[in-house]
């Protein structure tokens, strides 16, 4: 019996002398990685990837990256909404302004609201005949386009004497000059929309065309010729602004 007890005692003593091995613990993260957090704010998708891959091994860094990425997304959404509202308001303001931009300044003139001299040249008659068409400048008014630039809106009486339907812009070429320098055509005025509307043979239609002025005092010279022609016939009309 004593021998068995001694044997159990020795076995217990040997067991107690065995070294104790504890379960290895992962290193504790002291603080979040600032560099990765900044990168996550700049590129939100990177922040999402870092959050998903490091939420177990580096929870502080993962949490910081996730928050920075989310903050960036929210800020971008807010900026986009503000930008959209601002652009929409600006567009609406431009549209509203352009719809009422033209002011009907009367050009100091003789009757018919324009001081115009028909200087017919190159075999043109006083009734404004030019090839298969007829065109007479019957009026003019000053205005402003949507950019605030001064314009002159010329009113024409266009007659189609050809055998086919035709529009003013397809049949005739109309140019405007100040001091011999060509003026740019302005398309922002709603009253110029009928330039490309066809009229049947024998019909006369009033159309308007606008030009951007260099100044509001120098006379404007209007030259009208056939758009497709083998001759140099033209009608010249001087519109006196001053």
């Amino acid at each position: 019996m004593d021998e068995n007890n001694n044997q159990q005692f020795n076995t217990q003593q040997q067991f107690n002398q065995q070294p104790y091995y504890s379960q290895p613990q992962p290193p504790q993260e002291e603080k979040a990685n600032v560099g990765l957090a900044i990168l996550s704010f700049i590129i939100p998708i990177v922040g999402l990837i870092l959050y998903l891959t490091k939420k177990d091994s580096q929870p502080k860094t993962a949490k910081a990256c996730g928050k920075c990425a989310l903050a960036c997304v929210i800020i971008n959404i807010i900026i986009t909404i503000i930008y959209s509202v601002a652009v929409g308001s600006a567009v609406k303001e431009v549209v509203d302004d352009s719809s009422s931009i033209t002011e009907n300044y009367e050009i100091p003139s003789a009757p018919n609201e324009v001081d115009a001299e028909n200087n017919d040249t190159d075999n043109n008659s006083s009734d404004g005949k030019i090839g298969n068409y007829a065109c007479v400048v019957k009026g003019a008014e000053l205005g402003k386009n949507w950019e605030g630039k001064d314009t002159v809106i010329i009113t024409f009486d266009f007659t189609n004497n050809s055998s086919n339907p035709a529009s003013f812009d397809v049949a005739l070429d109309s140019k405007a000059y100040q001091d011999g320098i060509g003026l740019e055509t302005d398309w922002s005025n709603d009253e110029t929309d009928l330039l490309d509307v066809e009229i049947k043979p024998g019909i006369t239609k009033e159309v308007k065309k606008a030009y951007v002025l260099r100044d509001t005092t120098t006379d404007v010279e209007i030259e009208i010729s056939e758009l497709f022609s083998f001759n140099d016939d033209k009608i010249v009309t001087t519109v006196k602004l001053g």
Side-chain angles (χ1 to χ4, degrees), residues 171-188:
L172 301 177
D173 180 26
S174 59
K175 297 177 180 178
Y177 299 87
Q178 275 187 314
D179 286 333
I181 302 174
L183 299 181
E184 178 185 353
T185 303
D186 181 72
W187 302 102
S188 65

Side-chain angles (χ1 to χ4, degrees), residues 153 186-196 208-210:
I153 303 173
D186 181 72
W187 302 102
S188 65
N189 193 287
D190 293 338
E191 296 179 347
T192 63
D193 289 343
L194 298 178
L195 291 171
D196 59 351
K208 296 185 178 184
K209 193 167 184 177

Side-chain angles (χ1 to χ4, degrees), residues 40-87:
S40 299
F41 182 81
I42 298 174
I43 310 176
I45 188 65
V46 173
L48 176 61
I49 295 173
L50 290 173
Y51 174 77
L52 296 175
T53 57
K54 293 182 178 295
K55 63 180 180 179
D56 295 328
S57 60
Q58 294 177 274
K60 291 183 179 180
T61 296
K63 187 175 181 181
C65 292
K67 287 183 176 180
C68 289
L70 181 61
C72 180
V73 172
I74 294 174
I75 291 173
N76 284 332
I77 291 175
I78 294 174
I79 292 175
T80 300
I81 293 174
I82 294 174
Y83 177 78
S84 299
V85 172
V87 171

Side-chain angles (χ1 to χ4, degrees), residues 120 124 128-130 135 222-225 233-237:
D120 293 47
N124 289 300
K129 289 183 178 179
I130 181 77
C135 187
I222 306 296
E223 288 189 2
I224 303 170
S225 59
D233 291 351
K234 60 185 176 183
I235 302 171
V236 180
T237 301

Side-chain angles (χ1 to χ4, degrees), residues 51-232:
Y51 174 77
L52 296 175
T53 57
K54 293 182 178 295
K55 63 180 180 179
D56 295 328
S57 60
Q58 294 177 274
K60 291 183 179 180
T61 296
K63 187 175 181 181
C65 292
K67 287 183 176 180
C68 289
L70 181 61
C72 180
V73 172
I74 294 174
I75 291 173
N76 284 332
I77 291 175
I78 294 174
I79 292 175
T80 300
I81 293 174
I82 294 174
Y83 177 78
S84 299
V85 172
V87 171
S89 300
V91 171
K92 184 177 183 298
E93 184 177 352
V94 169
V95 172
D96 292 342
D97 289 345
S98 64
S99 63
S100 59
I101 198 69
T102 301
E103 301 179 25
N104 294 323
Y105 297 107
E106 287 190 4
I107 302 174
S109 63
N112 298 327
E113 300 179 359
V114 61
D115 187 0
E117 298 177 355
N118 290 314
N119 302 320
D120 293 47
T121 61
D122 298 331
N123 301 321
N124 289 300
S125 61
S126 59
D127 56 3
K129 289 183 178 179
I130 181 77
N132 292 324
Y133 312 97
C135 187
V136 177
V137 175
K138 63 175 293 186
E141 59 181 355
L142 292 176
K144 291 184 181 293
N145 64 6
W146 67 276
E147 295 179 304
K149 295 181 179 180
D150 293 311
T151 61
V152 60
I153 303 173
I154 306 297
T155 302
F156 300 94
D157 263 349
F158 169 61
T159 303
N160 181 12
N161 293 324
S162 69
S163 57
N164 299 306
S167 65
F168 178 89
D169 258 3
V170 172
L172 301 177
D173 180 26
S174 59
K175 297 177 180 178
Y177 299 87
Q178 275 187 314
D179 286 333
I181 302 174
L183 299 181
E184 178 185 353
T185 303
D186 181 72
W187 302 102
S188 65
N189 193 287
D190 293 338
E191 296 179 347
T192 63
D193 289 343
L194 298 178
L195 291 171
D196 59 351
V197 174
E198 291 187 344
I199 60 174
K200 290 185 176 182
I203 301 298
T204 299
K205 178 66 178 176
E206 181 181 285
V207 296
K208 296 185 178 184
K209 193 167 184 177
Y211 303 90
V212 180
L213 293 171
R214 289 188 170 81
D215 61 73
T216 57
T217 58
T218 305
D219 294 347
V220 176
E221 190 176 75
I222 306 296
E223 288 189 2
I224 303 170
S225 59
E226 283 189 279
L227 187 60
F228 303 102
S229 176
F230 294 103
N231 57 54
D232 296 328

